[in-house]
Amino acid sequence: MQLKHLKTLLTPQEGAAKVTCMAWAPNNTKFAVCTVDRVVLLYDEQGERRDKFSTKPLDSKYGKQSYVVNDMAFSPDSTKIAIGQSDNIIFVYKIGEDWGDKKAICNKFVQTNAVTCLLWPAEHAVVYGLVDGKVRLANTQTNKSSTIYGTESCVVSLATNVSGKGILSGHADGTVVRYFFDDEGSGESQGKLFMHPCPPYALAWGANSIMVGGCDKKVVAYSREGHILQTFEYSRDRTEREFTVAATSPSGQSVVFGSYDRLRVFNWAPRRGVWDEAKPKEILNLYTITSLAWKKDGSRLCAGTLCGGVELFDCCKNILNLNPI
């Protein structure tokens, strides 16, 4: 799989205007982008902007500048969006099925700490990480939240397996923890899986292994039980910077890492049981990639940047490498 640039959905600005998070709807019909001004922009599958809504602070008395949206996720039925914020709250917005439907808050989950990242893997279950190291579950049916497990270190990343029945959390001290709602008969262990040498901001759970990137300019592939399988080393490349974000294709066969002006693509080679790196996608003046979102049918990948740009890529099958892009 290789990436082919299709179009710019959001034009970058002159200075820092970070795209904080993005998400594709599971039914592939909507794509959401949250900008630095805390507004969620909604696009159709062709990349045309169709709708938007403003997020809200925990309490209006603190004003609109009092928080940052750190992450968001669509519900499995694609009609709601969960928004995780730095002012210690998750709001769930009902956005409806059609463009222009009224947006309304249908759930609020107040926390004791800032929400750093979140996922929505199952019908009523929003999984999220907090600054205090806890990984929690918010039930949108009962409107109650509970702690799945706690650690001593800030949650910096979350990832699910292909089925959505297992989660990984990456922590600021380098710890990566695995938890299963259902291990689907795999018998794989739960709990602390391994310690990465730096905070695992770029965390991906592929079909056959776990891949991690961070500030040490390395991408490391770990086995299902946390042993190092492969290391891709870029510390001698003066043009490379830290890896800030990662995304796994819906099939789990490809993983993309974002850094500075560059997307690195890794494809699983089943016959050899290893990851192969494809030709990197380099775009001058893209700057730091802050968010990645993969369309659920696997055909498109979006990248958001520090300067507020959003780029849409086609995920091309690389047939015998006859037409390198």
Side-chain angles (χ1 to χ4, degrees):
M1 194 277 298
Q2 293 193 342
L3 298 175
K4 178 184 177 185
H5 186 260
L6 289 179
K7 65 191 290 191
T8 298
L9 302 192
L10 205 53
T11 306
Q13 299 180 31
E14 287 295 320
K18 181 181 177 181
V19 172
T20 55
C21 48
M22 308 186 303
W24 275 100
N27 67 4
N28 298 308
T29 62
K30 291 185 173 78
F31 171 63
V33 176
C34 191
T35 59
V36 73
D37 58 4
R38 304 158 197 82
V39 172
V40 176
L41 308 175
L42 293 168
Y43 294 80
D44 64 20
E45 55 186 325
Q46 275 74 47
E48 298 300 321
R49 201 168 109 190
R50 302 290 295 272
D51 211 345
K52 68 176 184 177
F53 66 92
S54 296
T55 61
K56 293 179 166 55
L58 168 67
D59 191 319
S60 57
K61 72 183 179 189
Y62 298 124
K64 291 184 177 180
Q65 306 291 323
S66 64
Y67 69 99
V68 175
V69 174
N70 282 327
D71 209 354
M72 66 180 172
F74 273 91
S75 60
D77 69 1
S78 303
T79 65
K80 300 181 180 114
I81 296 179
I83 304 277
Q85 301 182 181
S86 64
D87 57 349
N88 305 3
I89 194 165
I90 293 171
F91 285 112
V92 179
Y93 291 82
K94 188 171 180 60
I95 62 165
E97 294 183 17
D98 298 319
W99 301 112
D101 281 358
K102 188 183 176 192
K103 315 296 182 285
I105 293 170
C106 51
N107 297 93
K108 297 178 187 179
F109 299 98
V110 179
Q111 306 300 312
T112 54
N113 284 271
V115 179
T116 56
C117 40
L118 61 77
L119 304 165
W120 199 331
E123 192 175 358
H124 300 295
V126 179
V127 176
Y128 56 97
L130 299 178
V131 163
D132 68 358
K134 288 191 181 78
V135 174
R136 308 196 79 213
L137 179 73
N139 187 317
T140 58
Q141 198 168 33
T142 63
N143 218 31
K144 291 182 179 175
S145 51
S146 56
T147 299
I148 303 173
Y149 56 87
T151 71
E152 298 299 312
S153 182
C154 172
V155 184
V156 298
S157 54
L158 285 172
T160 66
N161 58 2
V162 172
S163 70
K165 293 179 179 176
I167 58 169
L168 292 171
S169 59
H171 300 265
D173 65 356
T175 303
V176 173
V177 179
R178 180 166 60 192
Y179 177 85
F180 288 105
F181 297 106
D182 178 356
D183 73 1
E184 301 170 280
S186 71
E188 292 173 13
S189 61
Q190 297 197 96
K192 180 179 172 179
L193 195 57
F194 57 84
M195 282 284 287
H196 193 65
C198 62
Y201 278 96
L203 179 65
W205 194 344
N208 293 279
S209 68
I210 294 152
M211 296 189 79
V212 185
C215 60
D216 61 357
K217 299 187 187 180
K218 292 179 184 176
V219 171
V220 182
Y222 291 89
S223 73
R224 291 169 176 169
E225 289 306 325
H227 306 296
I228 293 176
L229 295 175
Q230 286 172 272
T231 301
F232 298 87
E233 167 80 65
Y234 306 105
S235 59
R236 292 182 181 176
D237 182 348
R238 292 188 177 183
T239 67
E240 189 58 271
R241 301 200 191 176
E242 71 268 19
F243 293 102
T244 46
V245 67
T248 310
S249 68
S251 68
Q253 301 299 313
S254 296
V255 173
V256 170
F257 282 83
S259 55
Y260 183 91
D261 281 357
R262 185 182 287 126
L263 291 161
R264 289 195 182 270
V265 181
F266 298 87
N267 299 308
W268 180 252
R271 287 185 183 176
R272 292 183 294 118
V274 295
W275 291 96
D276 286 334
E277 185 177 4
K279 184 182 177 183
K281 190 68 185 175
E282 304 195 29
I283 299 180
L284 204 61
N285 302 322
L286 194 65
Y287 297 104
T288 301
I289 295 164
T290 56
S291 186
L292 290 171
W294 216 308
K295 195 176 179 185
K296 305 306 178 186
D297 65 6
S299 66
R300 301 282 187 271
L301 179 78
C302 287
T305 71
L306 183 67
C307 295
V310 176
E311 307 296 338
L312 178 66
F313 297 90
D314 179 59
C315 303
C316 315
K317 290 284 185 284
N318 188 21
I319 309 298
L320 297 177
N321 210 21
L322 293 177
N323 297 302
I325 296 161

